[in-house]
Amino acid sequence: MTSTTDGLLSVLYTSNARTPFGDDDLAELLAQSRASNAANDLTGMLLYRGGRFVQVLEGPEQTVRDIIATIGADPRHSDMRVLIEQPITHREFRDWTMGYQPIAETTGDAPAGFRDTFDDLENAEDPSATLRAARELSLWFRVRSARAQRNADAD
């Protein structure tokens, strides 16, 4: 694993829920995560869809490593896999102790060029594909969050 000499570390991982999470389960998980992240100087975002988590955590290196180990041992998760781990000089999610965006199940085929799943990340032989997908994920999340905020401000 990469050492950042107590600098900032960003980790993107995926895991599967051992049992499906309902709205109440997700609300409880988010409340726990946000409180823990605020207390430990962690930021990030979480996506959940169809029993699968995709999460980015960022913060002090050892704190991120400790939380990743805790999540890996959490009986609610299985098949955890770290896809990207890298030192960072600034936080992508600095204003969020844990941003969350629900992703509705879709019907029909996605439009050409649209990524509606991240299942391919775990099988990517090209490490740069994972990094590109993580950037797409970050951009998607930011656009949706900004759009939701504008809509809330307009109401």
Side-chain angles (χ1 to χ4, degrees):
M1 299 226 167
T2 308
S3 175
T4 62
T5 27
D6 292 34
L8 294 174
L9 182 68
S10 176
V11 172
L12 171 94
Y13 78 88
T14 66
S15 69
N16 295 319
R18 289 193 187 271
T19 59
F21 273 58
D23 290 342
D24 292 342
D25 300 318
L26 284 170
E28 182 180 330
L29 177 65
L30 285 169
Q32 291 171 353
S33 296
R34 286 174 175 151
S36 174
N37 290 357
N40 291 293
D41 192 27
L42 293 172
T43 53
M45 65 96 198
L46 173 69
L47 299 174
Y48 177 80
R49 179 180 180 187
R52 182 175 208 139
F53 293 100
V54 176
Q55 183 171 25
V56 174
L57 285 171
E58 55 190 19
E61 177 186 6
Q62 192 56 53
T63 305
V64 171
R65 292 188 190 287
D66 291 346
I67 279 293
I68 291 295
T70 298
I71 293 167
D74 188 322
R76 298 173 291 187
H77 294 265
S78 68
D79 305 316
M80 181 179 178
R81 183 163 178 224
V82 172
L83 301 177
I84 299 175
E85 176 184 309
Q86 63 186 15
I88 56 174
T89 57
H90 67 280
R91 296 174 190 249
E92 292 292 322
F93 303 98
R94 65 186 159 273
D95 297 327
W96 302 332
T97 55
M98 182 52 60
Y100 171 72
Q101 183 68 48
I103 303 176
E105 295 292 333
T106 58
T107 58
D109 294 333
F114 180 80
R115 174 186 288 275
D116 66 347
T117 179
F118 288 89
D119 291 344
D120 61 315
L121 294 183
E122 295 188 13
N123 297 321
E125 293 181 17
D126 176 8
S128 67
T130 302
L131 186 56
R132 282 191 311 273
R135 287 185 179 134
E136 290 172 19
L137 176 65
S138 174
L139 177 61
W140 174 86
F141 188 84
R142 289 172 183 283
V143 167
R144 284 185 59 120
S145 294
R147 186 179 305 140
Q149 185 61 49
R150 279 194 309 273
N151 291 341
D153 291 345
D155 290 342

